[in-house]
Structure formats: structure tokens, C-alpha cells
Amino acid sequence: MELKKFVKIREEKFGAVIFDTLREKVFVTNETGKDILNLLKDGKQIEEIIDILKEKYEKNGDEIRIDVNKFISQLKENGIIT
Amino acid sequence: MELLHKIDFKDLKAPLFIAWQINSECNLGCLHCCEEAGHSMPDEMNKEEIFNVLEQIVDLKIPYVALSGGEPLLHPNFFEICEFLKDKTSIKVETNGEFIDERIAKKIANLKFRSVQISLDGATPFTHERLRLGGNWEKAVMACKLLIKEGVNTEIVFVPTKFNIQEIGQLIDMAYSLGVYGVYTGKIMRIGRAAQNWRMLCPSEQEYENFFAILNEKIKQYDGKMKIYYYPYDVIEELKYRLEYPAASLLIIPNGKVKLIGPLPFICGDLKKQKLIDVWENYKIGWQNPKVREFAKKVIEQPKLLAESNKWVEL
């Protein structure tokens, strides 16, 4: 999984802003969404992302897994990642 | 956690988009030019000042920059500017295409632009050149061909006027046969030279109705094959909307001043003297300035005032 060409991400106080500059569409996300995007940018796979976030947020694994999968589906649906 | 669309520009630490008119010089004298371009301004930014702004754009991680003019390819530092921004931000270049030959198309391909937008105001040389005085339709079409051959995302921009509005369908078909990435259009903006020539240029309601009907037909016809985008609002409708929801963007004019928005004369900063981040803060406040809001309302009531948009007023 990787970010589509011409998709730019910028960190913000609230999390991150995602700008698909080719389609000229803007999205925003919170702090956790920002973490997932950064991990995806670093080439991490879903399982690795879940492990890292479990540790960071000290949350239940299932809860994190649902969140991560849901967020990644949204990114795919909106053409942000391939 | 959710992916959301709603964004308040005030929450952003910097703009998301910079529209930068890097020069005023142009080889054409288009009847509908918003910038009233032609000759250089006496106080345009020099190379050092330009690079100072470029560094700030990169530091602030501004994701998208559109370079226009005048004719940006006439700017002596055009390629150095693009080279500096390459891989750091998405770059769109808005040009009349007349200086793009094989060598320049290859150079552009190496710069990995998001896109190059070529102004093509007709499906025939006669129509295009009647509106774009001094223009050469063949050269603009050739620019599209050369860029596409080099793999550059190439877009066509078409401004409808009384002279050319009937050619939209033909132009879209031609764009598809050329292999362009997309066609952009929308109502002519009553700014600059277009405002001065308004009665001669502005299409009738009926002409617009036919125009949008053809566009919708073509959107269906080319669905999934070519992007056709039209902005359905005119400049007054845009202004009404922006009073409520200002864009997260700055418009830099060749002398380094920053306009609040194209249709209004207000300047919210000067990049020769101020930092980009400070101008961004001025921009946010500027939209709340009573002088701006009152004048904008006057413009909405009397669109003739749009002719004042290039007579700058410092906030």
C-alpha cells in the first residue's frame, strides 16, 4: 500500500490534512489518522501498524484493528492510497 | 478516527494552495485576461525575493503551487523556480503554450509537474485567435501534443465567451483525441480586461444553458476516459460563497503583494517585506475586516465594481 502520486500530507495541530492535488480534493484526519498515514508512508504493513499503535495508545488490539482497517478502507475508497 | 472533508481554513497552520502570478509579461493581449497582463510591472520581485518565498513555501510544506503570469515561460527564472520546487510540492503551470517546443516539453517532463494547463479558447484557429489577440492556435495545440508525447499530465482550459461558447463540444472531442488528462472550464470571470470588455464577451443565459447541457453530455460520454471539470458559479456567486468559506489559498501577484481573492482589490500582505506565515495570518483576519465585507457586498449588488479588482487597496 502506498500513497497515490500527487497526494500530499501535512501535519497540523488537529492531526493531518491530506491533499490529493491531482483531483484537487482535501481531507482531514485526527492524530491517530496522522500516525497511520505516516506509517503507511514508511512502507509499514497493516499488522505492523496495528502493533505500533497498540503500543503507542495502550489500547485493546481488537479495537485498534477495527479502527485501522476502517481508516485504510476509507483511504482506498477515496483514492488516497493504492 | 475518520477521514473527513470538512475543513476550516482558520485551523490550518499555512495555506494549502498558492496561486502565484510570477510575472506580468505576456506575448498575447487576450480580451478576457483577468490579470490585464502584457508588460512587466516595474516593481516585480527579483530572483532573490522569489527564492526567499520559495524557501518559505517548502518550509511550510505548502502542498500545491500553481505558477501563472502573464506568461510564466517568459520569466527569466521560470525553470530555476520549478527545479527548486520539484519533488517538494505539486506544481501546476498555466501557460498559453506558445513557447513549448520539443526541447522545452522534454525539460518540463523532467520536472514532474502535477500538470501543465494550456489555454485553448476554441476548437478552430479563427475562434481562439479572435479572443487571444496575437495568439497562435496551432502552437497551443502543438504544445499539447508535445507534452502528451513526453508523458506530461496536460490539461486544457477553455473560457466561454460569445465568440467561442458554441465550440465547447468540438473542443472536448478534440481534447480527447489529443489524449489530454482533462478539460477545465466555467463561466467567464468579470475581472480585469474581461470586465472592460464585458458586453462584448459575456454569453447570454441561453448560451450558457446550451453550454452546460453540452458539458453534461460530454461528461457522460467521456466518463472514466477523460476528466471534464466545470465550475458552475460565476464570480459573484463565488464571492458570496467565499465570504462565508474563504479558501485555504493565497494569490501572489508579480510584485510580491498578496491578494485576498481575485475579484476584490484588497491586499493582505507584501512578500517583499513580510514572511509568508505572517501574510497567512493577515489573510485570515482580512476576511473579517468590515472594509472587505462591505465592499464585497457592494460588488455583489453592483458587479460593475469588479472592474476595480486590479486597483489594489492595502488592508
Side-chain angles (χ1 to χ4, degrees):
Chain A
M1 268 175 306
E2 56 183 36
L3 287 179
K4 276 207 180 156
K5 203 175 169 188
F6 302 116
V7 169
K8 305 283 177 192
I9 292 165
R10 186 173 73 199
E11 298 195 3
E12 295 283 344
K13 267 188 205 158
F14 54 80
V17 60
I18 304 156
F19 195 174
D20 180 345
T21 61
L22 188 59
R23 293 183 304 144
E24 298 184 338
K25 285 190 173 175
V26 178
F27 306 90
V28 288
T29 186
N30 63 9
E31 197 64 30
T32 325
K34 179 192 82 182
D35 287 341
I36 297 174
L37 285 163
N38 283 335
L39 292 164
L40 283 170
K41 256 168 76 180
D42 291 344
K44 297 276 189 284
Q45 296 304 307
I46 295 185
E47 287 308 317
E48 293 175 277
I49 294 173
I50 292 168
D51 287 343
I52 293 167
L53 294 186
K54 241 183 347 191
E55 206 169 303
K56 180 171 177 181
Y57 292 103
E58 294 175 354
K59 263 184 156 180
N60 172 298
D62 290 341
E63 209 178 312
I64 291 277
R65 183 177 299 278
I66 291 167
D67 271 2
V68 170
N69 283 327
K70 189 177 159 201
F71 187 65
I72 287 177
S73 298
Q74 285 182 323
L75 293 175
K76 281 184 184 162
E77 275 162 28
N78 286 288
I80 294 162
I81 57 171
T82 50
Chain B
M1 137 201 55
E2 288 228 50
L3 194 58
L4 304 168
H5 294 266
K6 216 167 163 64
I7 192 166
D8 186 341
F9 81 113
K10 290 199 280 303
D11 296 335
L12 296 168
K13 64 182 177 191
L16 292 175
F17 177 63
I18 299 268
W20 192 350
Q21 296 164 5
I22 56 173
N23 60 353
S24 191
E25 186 184 1
C26 188
N27 54 318
L28 308 186
C30 302
L31 296 177
H32 57 323
C33 180
C34 299
E35 286 86 34
E36 300 178 54
H39 298 293
S40 296
M41 289 178 185
D43 57 346
E44 288 187 8
M45 276 195 282
N46 62 32
K47 188 177 170 183
E48 196 188 335
E49 288 160 342
I50 287 173
F51 273 77
N52 184 299
V53 175
L54 289 172
E55 278 167 19
Q56 295 177 66
I57 287 174
V58 173
D59 289 346
L60 291 168
K61 294 189 168 57
I62 294 171
Y64 190 12
V65 177
L67 300 172
S68 67
E71 170 46 49
L73 271 87
L74 282 173
H75 193 285
N77 306 116
F78 172 76
F79 283 104
E80 288 164 89
I81 292 168
C82 297
E83 196 63 54
F84 185 89
L85 291 175
K86 181 184 170 185
D87 297 327
K88 295 174 190 130
T89 184
S90 289
I91 309 166
K92 172 168 77 174
V93 175
E94 299 169 9
T95 169
N96 60 38
E98 300 207 359
F99 298 97
I100 299 176
D101 56 17
E102 233 167 278
R103 185 181 65 88
I104 297 293
K106 280 190 200 309
K107 223 170 157 178
I108 286 175
N110 286 330
L111 287 162
K112 300 176 189 164
F113 292 155
R114 170 218 178 260
S115 64
V116 174
Q117 276 191 349
I118 309 273
S119 297
L120 202 57
D121 285 324
T124 58
F126 176 75
T127 316
H128 175 86
E129 290 161 18
R130 197 176 162 206
L131 193 61
R132 305 184 73 83
L133 303 185
N136 185 320
W137 183 86
E138 301 280 353
K139 281 187 182 173
V141 173
M142 182 52 75
C144 294
K145 289 181 182 169
L146 294 170
L147 291 168
I148 291 161
K149 189 177 151 210
E150 294 300 328
V152 177
N153 259 358
T154 305
E155 297 170 323
I156 286 176
V157 181
F158 174 89
V159 179
T161 64
K162 269 193 180 302
F163 299 176
N164 62 356
I165 194 161
Q166 70 289 349
E167 288 188 9
I168 184 64
Q170 212 183 326
L171 181 109
I172 291 173
D173 294 339
M174 187 182 85
Y176 181 68
S177 68
L178 288 171
V180 308
Y181 172 75
V183 176
Y184 281 67
T185 188
K187 290 182 176 176
I188 182 173
M189 291 204 286
R190 191 173 179 170
I191 315 177
R193 228 176 273 142
Q196 293 157 17
N197 297 318
W198 193 243
R199 290 179 70 179
M200 176 172 50
L201 297 175
C202 183
S204 66
E205 284 302 315
Q206 183 61 52
E207 283 168 325
Y208 267 135
E209 211 174 288
N210 295 340
F211 172 75
F212 287 117
I214 294 170
L215 272 174
N216 286 322
E217 227 174 78
K218 293 293 172 190
I219 287 171
K220 278 185 207 150
Q221 185 183 340
Y222 292 109
D223 186 29
K225 297 176 188 161
M226 180 176 74
K227 184 178 171 185
I228 302 172
Y229 178 80
Y230 72 81
Y231 193 68
Y233 307 112
D234 66 17
V235 75
I236 293 295
E237 289 158 332
E238 162 85 4
L239 194 53
K240 279 183 196 166
Y241 181 76
R242 290 298 170 208
L243 277 172
E244 296 307 312
Y245 306 102
S249 63
L250 294 179
L251 168 58
I252 309 175
I253 55 178
N255 59 6
K257 309 248 184 198
V258 178
K259 282 192 83 176
L260 206 55
I261 187 170
L264 295 181
F266 301 106
I267 298 289
C268 61
D270 182 349
L271 292 169
K272 282 186 178 179
K273 297 175 188 155
Q274 293 165 288
K275 287 194 183 313
L276 188 48
I277 194 74
D278 295 332
V279 175
W280 174 239
E281 292 309 314
N282 290 349
Y283 173 86
K284 291 180 185 176
I285 301 164
W287 279 104
Q288 297 312 317
N289 187 317
K291 202 157 96 177
V292 170
R293 300 191 76 82
E294 276 159 32
F295 187 76
K297 280 175 192 160
K298 253 192 215 172
V299 170
I300 290 165
E301 282 164 22
Q302 304 167 54
K304 269 187 184 174
L305 290 170
L306 287 165
E308 310 287 308
S309 64
N310 290 335
K311 292 174 187 163
W312 310 314
V313 176
E314 311 260 350
L315 285 176

